[in-house]
Amino acid sequence: MSRKVIITVAPTGSVTTRAETPYLPITPEEVIEETVRSYNAGASVVHLHARDPDTGQPTSSVEIFRMYLDGIRQRCPIITQITTGGGAATLGLGYDERFRPVEELRPDSASLNAGSMNFGRKLFPNPPEVMERYAKRMVELGVMPEFEIYDLSMIQNVDVWIRRPGIVPPPYQNSFVMGVLGGIPPTFKNLLALVESLPQGDTWQVIGIGRHQFTLGVAGILLGGNIRVGFEDNIYLAKGVLARSNAELVEKAVRIIRELGFEVASVEEARGILPLRPRERYPQ
Ligand code: ZN
């Protein structure tokens, strides 16, 4: 049986604007609709940021995230993930505020940024004590941390602050974010170095920014990883051609995965592959 590849969709993010693409989903209805379309196209995980429906600006509003999760859960079983970093660089949010939607809503997963960095010209603070605090609380809540790795050093951060002290039982789910200014340069050599630095048994995906969504994303698939697509990271279907929906990017990933001789993981299969945490109860 060929390997199942997990496709995550990140439909909106907090940086992409309507001026860049008119197809960007902003209101809760649009984000929910794009998520369902992406699920129908083959995505099994959705990575969510909240946007103010009136201004389009990023927000940490629990109520907006609640609308997303309620609407998505009514319409499809996709695995849900909430950002804990989205508002940090763009809005300068405090650590508790960044975490509040995860605390209140208990998605299946949340991002956990594995170190501080310069994100473009902005400071993106993720000091060790915050990594530890977020990780401990996610374990208590039954939320799977996804470690966002922007550079080789961040694999070491996770190892020293989280893995060795045993804060989260292994294995871990990791994302290699490649193409952010201030993070690891987006090259094949660097992807190989990241993959080889990861402990055995962990799962991982490539988050390639811009054109690297598919170049490094596909390299990641060939190296045994999974792929994230969506307007948070890339708005183009091909050079100069805007994707008209996140689902078109998912469909492209599906075509490539199948052409390479792999299969696309269903939600149920993705739940078996990812180190999702046992939960005592699901939020309603
Ligand atoms: Zn994000």
Side-chain angles (χ1 to χ4, degrees), residues 47 49 83 228 232:
H47 169 86
H49 289 238
T83 181
R228 181 170 111 177
E232 175 167 347

Side-chain angles (χ1 to χ4, degrees), residues 39-279:
Y39 163 77
N40 288 333
S44 51
V45 182
V46 62
H47 169 86
L48 294 163
H49 289 238
R51 299 257 188 177
D52 183 310
D54 297 322
T55 64
Q57 292 302 305
T59 166
S60 64
S61 163
V62 171
E63 287 320 304
I64 303 252
F65 277 114
R66 193 190 305 277
M67 280 189 253
Y68 288 177
L69 292 189
D70 287 350
I72 290 166
R73 284 169 177 159
Q74 276 170 22
R75 293 182 57 192
C76 72
I78 196 166
I79 296 166
T80 55
Q81 180 180 87
I82 284 181
T83 181
T84 63
T90 40
L91 301 174
L93 294 180
Y95 299 121
D96 288 343
E97 207 172 342
R98 285 165 54 183
F99 197 77
R100 191 159 300 128
V102 177
E103 183 74 41
E104 302 275 328
L105 303 172
R106 297 179 65 199
D108 294 300
S109 174
S111 61
L112 202 161
N113 297 281
S116 304
M117 63 184 288
N118 298 326
F119 195 108
R121 291 185 63 86
K122 295 194 169 119
L123 177 64
F124 187 23
N126 300 286
E129 64 269 23
V130 172
M131 291 175 59
E132 292 161 353
R133 177 155 38 112
Y134 283 7
K136 272 184 195 153
R137 192 64 188 135
M138 285 189 209
V139 170
E140 288 166 2
L141 292 168
V143 171
M144 177 188 80
E146 178 177 277
F147 293 96
E148 310 298 343
I149 308 289
Y150 291 82
D151 213 330
L152 267 173
S153 58
M154 294 196 187
I155 293 177
Q156 189 179 36
N157 288 345
V158 173
D159 192 46
V160 170
W161 307 120
I162 309 289
R163 201 181 303 258
R164 282 193 230 164
I167 291 176
V168 180
Y172 295 175
Q173 158 68 0
N174 304 270
S175 290
F176 299 138
V177 188
M178 305 187 73
V180 170
L181 180 59
I184 196 166
T187 67
F188 290 109
K189 262 189 176 174
N190 285 342
L191 175 58
L192 266 179
L194 288 163
V195 173
E196 287 172 352
S197 303
L198 210 60
Q200 288 263 320
D202 274 17
T203 53
W204 57 276
Q205 69 175 353
V206 171
I207 300 177
I209 307 301
R211 69 183 189 278
H212 305 295
Q213 180 155 93
F214 284 99
T215 53
L216 291 176
V218 171
I221 292 168
L222 291 169
L223 290 168
N226 300 298
I227 186 170
R228 181 170 111 177
V229 298
F231 290 162
E232 175 167 347
D233 312 317
N234 165 49
I235 57 175
Y236 292 103
L237 192 60
K239 191 173 168 65
V241 181
L242 288 173
R244 283 169 301 176
S245 159
N246 281 276
E248 286 193 345
L249 296 168
V250 175
E251 285 164 6
K252 178 171 175 174
V254 167
R255 287 194 299 275
I256 293 170
I257 288 165
R258 291 189 176 144
E259 284 291 322
L260 291 172
F262 301 112
E263 291 177 39
V264 176
S266 66
V267 166
E268 200 178 327
E269 287 161 345
R271 283 193 178 277
I273 294 165
L274 295 171
L276 289 158
R277 302 292 152 193
R279 305 159 70 102

